[in-house]
């Protein structure tokens, strides 16, 4: 009889151990203690003008580009921890709009960009030099807001290329970096 009671107690202890380990595993990797904070980072687009249409535009230099109306967005960290994110710039084709269906896309080597963070230009250059579509990588503290402004324009040295009757459409996305 003592063996039976010992086996039952050992079985119950084993069950409690496995159950507790499973709960802790779930909470650490999938629950509140999770490393993945992607739902706690928010991107807010201030305007939806993410189409560069050459109509009425001419190739310009970097100083003149500062007078262009920027594409604005902000990234907010709602978590309790620092987070690292990438700002991605992805090309997009407008297929459902008659205005753009007959036009070709501008090539990235005809375009330049200026990226400002909180009112200060942090990056500028040729659009085709952006690696893996990563425009910016940044760490953001809890409750911090990063305000971005992006200007994309036809480069001054693209004047002798075929840039007329073309457009460039893009999307901004946020990608969370995995913490180690």
């Amino acid at each position: 009889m003592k063996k039976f009671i010992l086996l039952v107690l050992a079985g119950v202890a084993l069950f409690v151990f496995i159950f507790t380990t499973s709960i802790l595993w779930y909470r650490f990797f999938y629950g509140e203690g999770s490393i993945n904070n992607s739902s706690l980072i928010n991107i807010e687009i201030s305007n939806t003008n993410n189409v560069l249409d050459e109509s009425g535009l001419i190739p310009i230099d970097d100083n003149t580009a500062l007078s262009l109306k920027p594409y604005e967005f902000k990234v907010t960290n709602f978590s309790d921890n620092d987070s690292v994110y990438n700002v991605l710039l992805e090309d997009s084709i407008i297929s459902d709009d008659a205005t753009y269906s007959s036009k070709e896309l501008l090539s990235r080597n005809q375009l330049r960009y200026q990226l400002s963070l909180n009112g200060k230009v942090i990056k500028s250059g040729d659009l085709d030099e952006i690696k893996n579509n990563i425009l910016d990588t940044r760490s953001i503290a809890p409750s911090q807001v990063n305000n971005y402004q992006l200007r994309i324009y036809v480069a001054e040295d693209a004047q002798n290329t075929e840039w007329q009757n073309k457009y460039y459409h893009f999307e901004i996305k946020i990608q969370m970096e995995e913490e180690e």
Side-chain angles (χ1 to χ4, degrees):
M1 185 70 175
K2 284 186 179 184
K3 276 187 173 181
F4 179 73
I5 293 175
L6 227 59
L7 284 173
V8 169
L9 288 176
V12 169
L14 182 62
F15 175 77
V16 168
F17 173 76
I18 291 172
F19 182 75
T20 305
T21 304
S22 299
I23 295 296
L24 291 174
W25 182 272
Y26 175 80
R27 291 197 77 207
F28 182 75
F29 288 106
Y30 302 107
E32 293 174 15
S34 172
I35 293 176
N36 183 4
N37 289 327
S38 61
S39 63
L40 301 174
I41 293 288
N42 183 39
I43 180 171
E44 182 179 316
I45 307 297
S46 298
N47 59 17
T48 56
N49 187 17
N50 56 348
V51 177
L52 176 69
D53 190 339
E54 65 73 38
S55 302
L57 296 177
I58 58 171
I60 57 175
D61 61 46
D62 292 341
N63 289 331
T64 308
L66 288 172
S67 65
L68 295 176
K69 182 178 180 184
Y71 177 77
E72 297 177 325
F73 60 98
K74 63 182 171 180
V75 177
T76 308
N77 184 358
F78 291 109
S79 75
D80 295 331
N81 303 318
D82 288 358
S83 298
V84 177
Y85 65 91
N86 294 321
V87 176
L88 302 176
L89 175 75
E90 297 184 355
D91 299 345
S92 191
I93 297 174
I94 304 174
S95 59
D96 58 346
D97 189 339
T99 307
Y100 298 106
S101 63
S102 62
K103 292 184 177 184
E104 292 180 44
L105 277 176
L106 282 161
S107 171
R108 276 192 173 202
N109 64 8
Q110 296 173 304
L111 299 170
R112 289 190 53 81
Y113 75 97
Q114 287 181 348
L115 181 66
S116 299
L117 175 63
N118 299 325
K120 181 181 175 189
V121 176
I122 58 170
K123 289 186 178 180
S124 66
D126 295 328
L127 213 57
D128 63 341
E129 293 175 355
I130 297 173
K131 302 290 185 229
N132 299 324
N133 290 339
I134 298 175
L135 199 54
D136 189 35
T137 299
R138 192 137 324 256
S139 177
I140 186 169
S143 302
Q144 183 180 352
V145 177
N146 286 339
N147 294 301
Y148 285 94
Q149 293 181 327
L150 175 63
R151 292 172 178 87
I152 297 178
Y153 52 96
V154 178
E156 188 175 35
D157 58 355
Q159 189 165 0
N160 296 328
T161 64
E162 292 187 28
W163 57 272
Q164 288 96 355
N165 296 320
K166 294 183 179 182
Y167 76 99
Y168 182 70
H169 184 246
F170 60 92
E171 289 183 64
I172 296 293
K173 295 185 179 179
I174 298 297
Q175 175 188 52
M176 296 299 299
E177 290 259 328
E178 293 294 322
E179 293 184 26
E180 298 176 9

